[in-house]
């Protein structure tokens, strides 16, 4: 989460700053938010850290304070309402009772206790290390990829967390990491390499220098050349892992392109990649010309080719398994694409887009919807995708028809070479659901709130919230239909998108038909974690 900046407030009360000038003429009672910041491991006070607060509906109206010797903080003169409470600690920002992107807001008002808050903070973790060559010398300018196995939107998946480059000493550093399991991969090129590349027929190729025509294979910690053998780096809160990755030089290979049209104005460009954790494609640096690539280590790759010019064109992708120099027939490239139309009464909202989100790794591909309501993604990586709308708070997918791919329970299964055509009926009428989480008829704070659809006809979207300090919650952007409202005491690590995991909670949930009556405020009983 990015660091939050705090505006300077001079010459007015906090309440006046938060509500604006109109508050100065009012007699609204003022309240306080107060408490202590402690280490989550031992409850020792955390002194000298920045605490910020802002109204939930007005995130730009933010004020800050620094904790005292006992980790204490106080914000006085606040009008009644809900506030987001955050701590900036060692370079990262953590919200109160934060779980993924959800947190517990502090409700302020009559008969509400907002002055005895215990705010446990996690210490960020980090991974630091060095990339060295066969001689133990640093490899500078290498690309280091960090992958993590994490829970996102109710499903576990392995996704690319971050990338960085190695410094002059071959060093790299990933900071501000949450506890979890990580994988590290390195892609680089020997600084002294003089790789031989395929040349056009009229160009005489330079004489090869085998001892200099070398490459580094993509290498995972600790030494594996494929993701299945990668060693995970396990991080606890506040942990610092130090690792070392060795890159071993191997003879480089060449890939020559065959079947190229003789057109000086239409150049061939290619992207060489290897399949990484979760199916993410990792780009591999190569020495490329219009007729081929050089400087490639032996291994299994996916190569994607495009034809440039006034009208750029995707030639397609194909797998390549390299054990020696190879010739690739450009005409055998496979193009996988998605196109279609949205059906909607009236004009489509500006910037409306269709988004494909890979189920396994979270990678996204999207297309803007044109004025004629058509869309096209000319080249798609085969896989299973969630189909979503982007840049609209008012529309939902009412019905989806797919040709060229199977669509079931919100997932679009795209096979290699498919030309998928979609017809998406859009409608307006999203609902907001307000309620309160209770146990023994008392409000429960910090509960995971889920609105689980009985079918996924509208795509996979499970409205979710976390109950605030007064037990209340709001679920947004729910399409019409039948749902089960569920509240769970501790949602940490719960793969609620998995039917087998969530099934035990559904029986005690509350059936809900949407749209709900105007002004409805639903009560839901909080269940213990199973």
């Amino acid at each position: 989460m990015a660091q939050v900046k705090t505006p300077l407030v001079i010459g007015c009360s906090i309440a006046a700053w938060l509500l604006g000038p109109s508050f100065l003429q009012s007699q609204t009672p003022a309240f306080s938010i107060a408490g202590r910041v402690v280490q989550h491991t031992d409850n020792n006070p955390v002194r000298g850290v920045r605490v910020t607060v802002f109204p939930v509906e007005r995130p730009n109206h933010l004020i800050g304070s620094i904790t005292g010797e006992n980790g204490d903080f106080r914000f006085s003169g606040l009008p009644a309402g809900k506030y987001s409470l955050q701590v900036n600690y060692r370079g990262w920002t953590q919200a109160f009772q934060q779980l993924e992107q959800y947190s517990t807001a502090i409700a302020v008002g009559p008969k509400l206790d907002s002055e005895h808050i215990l705010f446990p903070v996690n210490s960020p973790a980090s991974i630091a290390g060095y990339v060295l060559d066969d001689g133990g010398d640093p490899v500078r300018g290498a690309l280091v990829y960090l992958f993590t196995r994490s829970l996102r939107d109710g499903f576990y998946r392995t996704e690319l967390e971050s990338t960085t480059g190695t410094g002059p000493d071959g060093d790299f550093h990933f900071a501000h990491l949450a506890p979890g399991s990580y994988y590290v991969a390195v892609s680089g090129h020997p600084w002294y390499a003089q790789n031989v590349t395929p040349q056009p027929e009229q160009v005489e190729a330079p004489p090869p220098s085998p001892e200099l025509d070398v490459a580094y294979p993509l290498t995972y910690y600790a030494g594996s050349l494929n993701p299945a053998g990668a060693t995970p780096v396990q991080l606890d809160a506040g942990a610092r892992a130090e690792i070392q990755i060795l890159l071993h030089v191997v003879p480089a290979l060449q890939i020559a392109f065959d079947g190229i049209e003789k057109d000086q104005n239409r150049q061939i460009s290619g992207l060489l990649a290897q399949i990484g954790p979760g199916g993410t494609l990792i780009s591999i640096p190569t020495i490329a010309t219009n007729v081929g690539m050089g400087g490639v280590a032996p291994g299994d790759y996916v190569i994607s080719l495009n034809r440039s010019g006034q009208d750029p064109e995707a030639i397609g992708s194909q797998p390549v398994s390299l054990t020696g120099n190879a010739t690739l027939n450009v005409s055998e490239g496979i193009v996988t694409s998605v196109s279609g139309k949205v059906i909607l009464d009236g004009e489509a909202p500006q910037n409306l887009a269709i988004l494909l989100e890979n189920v396994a790794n979270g990678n996204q591909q999207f297309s803007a919807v044109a004025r004629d309501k058509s869309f096209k993604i000319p080249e798609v990586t085969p896989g299973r995708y969630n189909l979503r709308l982007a840049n609209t708070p008012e529309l939902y997918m009412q019905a989806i028809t797919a040709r060229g791919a199977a669509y079931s329970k919100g997932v679009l299964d795209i096979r290699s070479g498919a030309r998928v055509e979609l017809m998406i009926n859009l409608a307006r009428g999203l609902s907001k659901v307000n309620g309160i989480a209770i146990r023994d008829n008392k409000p429960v704070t910090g509960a995971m709130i889920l609105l689980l659809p009985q079918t996924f006809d509208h795509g996979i979207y499970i409205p979710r919230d976390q109950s605030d300090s007064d037990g209340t919650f709001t679920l947004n952007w729910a399409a019409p239909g039948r749902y089960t409202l569920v509240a769970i005491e501790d949602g940490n690590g719960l793969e609620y998108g998995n039917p087998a995991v969530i099934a035990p909670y559904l029986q005690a949930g509350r059936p809900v038909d949407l749209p709900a009556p105007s002004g409805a405020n639903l009560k839901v009983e909080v269940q213990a974690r199973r």
Side-chain angles (χ1 to χ4, degrees):
M1 186 179 294
Q3 182 175 350
V4 178
K5 295 183 179 179
T6 302
L8 182 64
V9 184
I10 300 176
C12 66
S13 70
I14 290 177
W17 163 254
L18 294 172
L19 287 185
S22 61
F23 177 78
L24 296 176
Q25 285 88 41
S26 73
Q27 299 298 319
T28 303
F31 303 91
S32 297
I33 292 177
R36 295 174 62 230
V37 178
V38 298
Q39 292 279 5
H40 85 286
T41 51
D42 52 19
N43 276 349
N44 284 329
V46 181
R47 63 181 66 89
V49 298
R50 188 173 188 79
V51 184
T52 56
V53 67
F54 59 85
V56 170
E57 301 298 330
R58 305 183 74 180
N60 293 329
H61 287 62
L62 180 147
I63 53 177
S65 179
I66 303 297
T67 57
E69 286 298 313
N70 295 318
D72 53 299
F73 63 89
R74 172 174 290 273
F75 298 94
S76 300
L78 299 174
K82 283 190 178 182
Y83 295 83
S84 179
L85 183 65
Q86 299 178 341
V87 169
N88 185 270
Y89 183 54
R90 295 183 179 177
W92 75 343
T93 299
Q94 179 181 331
F96 182 57
Q97 295 186 347
Q98 182 172 342
L99 185 59
E100 297 176 51
Q101 68 269 40
Y102 298 90
S103 62
T104 297
I106 307 301
V108 171
K111 299 183 180 180
L112 294 175
D113 182 4
S114 56
E115 299 188 25
H116 297 86
I117 297 168
L118 189 66
F119 194 141
V121 292
N122 294 319
S123 298
S126 64
I127 298 175
Y130 293 90
V131 179
L132 307 176
D133 65 13
D134 298 272
D137 294 324
V139 178
R140 67 185 66 184
L143 284 175
V144 187
Y145 301 85
L146 181 68
F147 294 85
T148 182
R149 175 73 172 166
S150 60
L151 186 65
R152 187 70 60 87
D153 296 332
F155 297 91
Y156 275 107
R157 62 193 188 197
T158 302
E159 57 188 352
L160 180 63
E161 173 88 4
S162 182
T163 60
T164 190
T166 56
D169 297 325
D171 55 307
F172 64 89
H173 186 219
F174 294 103
H176 305 151
L177 301 178
S181 181
Y182 294 85
Y183 300 91
V184 182
V186 178
S187 173
H189 194 73
W191 66 269
Y192 57 85
Q194 296 179 12
N195 299 117
V196 178
T197 57
Q199 298 293 329
E201 295 176 3
Q202 67 272 21
V203 177
E204 185 177 345
S209 301
E211 69 278 7
L212 297 179
D213 191 13
V214 292
Y216 292 135
L218 178 70
T219 304
Y220 294 85
Y221 177 74
S224 174
L225 300 185
N226 63 75
T231 300
V233 180
Q234 301 288 350
L235 292 180
D236 295 326
R240 175 184 170 88
E242 295 186 2
I243 64 175
Q244 182 174 284
I245 300 177
L246 300 179
L247 299 184
H248 299 288
V249 72
V250 297
L253 305 176
Q254 302 174 42
I255 304 172
F257 302 152
D258 190 21
I260 300 174
E261 296 178 3
K262 306 298 182 182
D263 187 344
Q264 297 293 328
N265 296 320
R266 292 173 67 77
Q267 302 293 305
I268 301 294
S269 62
L271 175 67
L272 194 69
Q274 285 191 295
I275 299 175
T280 295
L281 292 179
I282 301 176
S283 178
I284 305 299
T286 60
I287 309 300
T289 69
N290 188 42
V291 293
M293 297 177 171
V296 182
D300 295 326
Y301 297 90
V302 175
I303 184 167
S304 302
L305 298 177
N306 296 277
R307 187 177 285 110
S308 64
Q310 189 172 6
D311 186 19
E313 174 191 4
I315 298 174
S317 301
Q318 50 186 300
V320 181
S321 184
L322 294 180
T323 56
N325 294 338
T327 298
L328 191 74
N329 193 320
V330 171
S331 63
E332 295 177 357
I334 299 172
V335 176
T336 306
S337 64
V338 173
S339 61
K341 258 196 162 181
V342 300
I343 300 174
L344 172 68
D345 290 337
E347 292 188 5
Q350 190 176 12
N351 301 324
L352 177 66
I354 303 298
L355 187 145
L356 300 177
E357 183 180 60
N358 193 291
V359 171
N361 54 40
N363 291 345
Q364 297 180 344
Q365 296 178 263
F366 70 94
S367 169
V369 175
R371 294 187 65 181
D372 66 355
K373 299 179 182 177
S374 66
F375 59 89
K376 184 173 184 179
I377 306 176
E379 190 165 15
V380 175
T381 302
R384 300 176 71 246
Y385 289 87
N386 295 329
L387 188 60
R388 301 183 187 275
L389 295 178
N391 302 331
T392 174
E394 57 175 322
L395 298 175
Y396 67 94
M397 297 182 292
Q398 188 177 47
I400 300 157
T401 303
R403 293 179 58 186
Y407 179 77
S408 176
K409 297 181 179 179
V411 175
L412 187 65
D413 192 353
I414 303 176
R415 305 296 177 90
S416 178
R419 303 294 179 100
V420 182
E421 297 179 7
L422 300 175
M423 195 69 69
I424 305 175
N425 291 73
L426 303 182
R428 293 177 173 84
L430 294 175
S431 295
K432 177 185 291 187
V433 176
N434 294 309
I436 183 169
I438 59 172
R439 175 182 290 148
D440 299 327
N441 223 23
K442 296 179 180 179
V444 176
T445 180
M448 173 186 278
I449 312 298
L450 302 170
L451 193 60
L452 295 146
Q454 294 192 7
T455 69
F456 288 103
D457 295 339
H458 308 307
I460 294 182
Y461 171 61
I462 300 174
R464 174 183 165 185
D465 196 16
Q466 187 164 303
S467 61
D468 295 328
S469 63
D470 60 352
T472 61
F473 61 84
T474 298
L475 299 158
N476 293 305
W477 307 306
R482 302 213 72 184
Y483 294 83
T484 302
L485 181 62
V486 170
I488 302 170
E489 183 177 35
D490 176 16
N492 189 21
L494 182 70
E495 192 181 15
Y496 60 85
N498 184 334
V501 173
I502 200 64
Y505 300 95
L506 292 176
Q507 187 172 1
R510 174 173 178 167
V512 175
D513 288 315
L514 296 183
S518 177
N521 196 31
L522 305 179
K523 289 184 179 181
V524 59
E525 194 75 22
V526 176
Q527 304 180 47
R529 178 68 178 268
R530 306 186 188 192

